Amino acid sequence: MTAQLIKGAEVAAQIREELKKEIADLKAKHNVVPGLVTVLVGADPASQVYVGQKEKTSKELGIYSERYDLPADTSQADLLKLIDKLNKDPKINGILVQLPLPKGLNEEEVLIAIDPKKDVDGFHPVNVGKLMIGEPDYLPCTPAGIQQLLIRSGTQIEGAEVVVVGRSNIVGKPIANMLLQKAEGANATVTICHTRTKDIAFHTKRADILIVAAGKPKAVTGDMVKEGVVVIDVGVNQIGTTAEGKRILAGDVDFDTVSEKAKAITPVPGGVGPMTITMLMMNTVRAAKVAAGLTE
Ligand code: NAP
């Protein structure tokens, strides 16, 4: 079987076009401009790239954007004071604090300080809880991107055996929870595997949809999957550097052997990655509509 490539970059571009139109309509019909603020503490190079991409995408789509670059020695009190100010700022619908924070800052306390209505990352315990009970407000961005890739690639989710490898709070647990819900684009039977799972291959071989977020290259190989599986590879692992100094990336799935058996598979890079920022933009637009009373 030659696997169909689920091209996240193309799906993300399509969703961004839809969002651009929605944002233009919001401005024209309701004078509403969604606003996103990014807060970066310290100068971690990878975080600087991510924040830069979020700012650039906001501007491209017509989202009002603000950015705070704070020194690494910012105190917890000053950071909380800034969040309080942003919580009260009507221009701002979404607050994104780039993680990880430098050592010495309490991430949990910072995330809890964000108004859940402005929590476009979907990490606030209120939003995690709402997702759990099937009444989500803001879905965390990477899992939301995975669900969109499944829906938009025409994958049958309802009734499918979904196996998720990885149980992190940002990918594994929320995507498992989302696909389990009694809702459209969900209604699957979900199994979660992790490092203490007795026989991972036993589970992965049963999967109609296999989602791998382990952070380990080749955690899943061709002998661990069945013919016709749809595979979403969330992993981003640097496995080397080119002669020009560029990072060589690989997913968590052994693409060559798994794609021989899969019906469809996401590439790395160009699969889940481009969806994450797009979902952040989607959440920001939703937050603006909620704030303006245009949606529940
Ligand atoms: P994480 O916090 O390190 O969690 C990894 C999870 O995988 C843990 O639950 C761990 O089990 C499990 N695991 C590790 N090796 C395993 C193995 N060989 N078999 C079964 N389970 C295994 O990672 P994460 O934050 O979820 O990220 C996972 C990967 O996705 C990383 O490569 C990350 O870079 C990537 N990622 C990509 C995006 C994107 O936008 N494309 C976004 C987020 C993350 P235990 O709990 O037992 O330790």
Side-chain angles (χ1 to χ4, degrees):
M1 180 176 282
T2 312
Q4 171 213 333
L5 275 187
I6 301 176
K7 295 180 184 162
E10 285 179 10
V11 179
Q14 185 193 340
I15 297 174
R16 285 180 200 192
E17 277 313 308
E18 293 165 13
L19 283 174
K20 216 172 176 174
K21 198 173 163 299
E22 191 175 359
I23 292 163
D25 276 359
L26 277 174
K27 168 102 177 105
K29 294 186 188 148
H30 305 282
N31 202 25
V32 167
V33 179
L36 175 68
V37 63
T38 48
V39 179
L40 174 63
V41 189
D44 175 66
S47 293
Q48 278 177 329
V49 171
Y50 295 142
V51 167
Q53 287 170 346
K54 287 164 189 172
E55 218 188 352
K56 183 168 164 267
T57 309
S58 299
K59 285 183 182 151
E60 280 168 7
L61 298 187
I63 290 175
Y64 168 74
S65 133
E66 276 184 25
R67 171 172 172 168
Y68 287 81
D69 284 274
L70 307 178
D73 62 356
T74 300
S75 70
Q76 183 82 6
D78 283 348
L79 184 54
L80 292 176
K81 212 186 285 173
L82 172 63
I83 289 173
D84 185 49
K85 185 183 97 160
L86 297 170
N87 278 341
K88 291 173 182 151
D89 184 342
K91 291 194 303 303
I92 299 301
N93 303 108
I95 301 172
L96 183 130
V97 177
Q98 186 64 43
L99 301 179
L101 290 172
K103 281 206 173 74
L105 291 173
N106 180 338
E107 269 182 18
E108 209 180 305
E109 195 184 22
V110 170
L111 294 181
I112 289 176
I114 296 172
D115 180 346
K117 290 194 179 65
K118 296 191 177 190
D119 170 41
V120 284
D121 242 348
F123 291 157
H124 192 290
V126 166
N127 287 322
V128 175
K130 284 188 160 183
L131 168 59
M132 185 75 174
I133 61 168
E135 289 176 17
D137 262 346
Y138 298 103
L139 296 172
C141 299
T142 300
I146 295 170
Q147 191 180 35
Q148 283 296 320
L149 285 179
L150 290 171
I151 293 170
R152 289 176 187 243
S153 62
T155 302
Q156 171 73 30
I157 306 174
E158 183 163 327
E161 291 289 336
V162 171
V163 175
V164 179
V165 180
R167 56 175 164 184
S168 73
N169 288 334
I170 62 166
V171 188
K173 278 186 210 156
I175 187 61
N177 202 349
M178 282 162 62
L179 297 180
L180 177 70
Q181 295 300 326
K182 198 166 187 173
E184 258 185 67
N187 270 321
T189 304
V190 184
T191 304
I192 309 179
C193 299
H194 46 80
T195 58
R196 304 296 193 273
T197 299
K198 272 193 213 147
D199 182 353
I200 289 178
F202 167 80
H203 297 285
T204 55
K205 274 185 193 157
R206 289 188 305 105
D208 301 316
I209 298 172
L210 178 61
I211 298 168
V212 189
K216 297 272 179 328
K218 302 197 182 180
V220 172
T221 47
D223 56 330
M224 295 168 69
V225 301
K226 73 173 182 189
E227 290 280 341
V229 62
V230 173
V231 180
I232 305 289
D233 186 353
V234 190
V236 181
N237 305 292
Q238 182 172 359
I239 53 163
T241 313
T242 65
E244 297 80 41
K246 278 194 161 172
R247 297 189 313 152
I248 303 172
L249 299 178
D252 290 345
V253 168
D254 180 24
F255 185 88
D256 291 343
T257 57
V258 172
S259 63
E260 274 176 20
K261 291 167 92 176
K263 179 177 166 203
I265 185 167
T266 55
V268 177
V272 175
M275 294 296 290
T276 299
I277 291 183
T278 304
M279 292 301 111
L280 175 71
M281 301 299 141
M282 197 185 250
N283 279 347
T284 304
V285 172
R286 173 171 163 69
K289 283 163 63 180
V290 171
L294 297 170
T295 190
E296 275 186 17

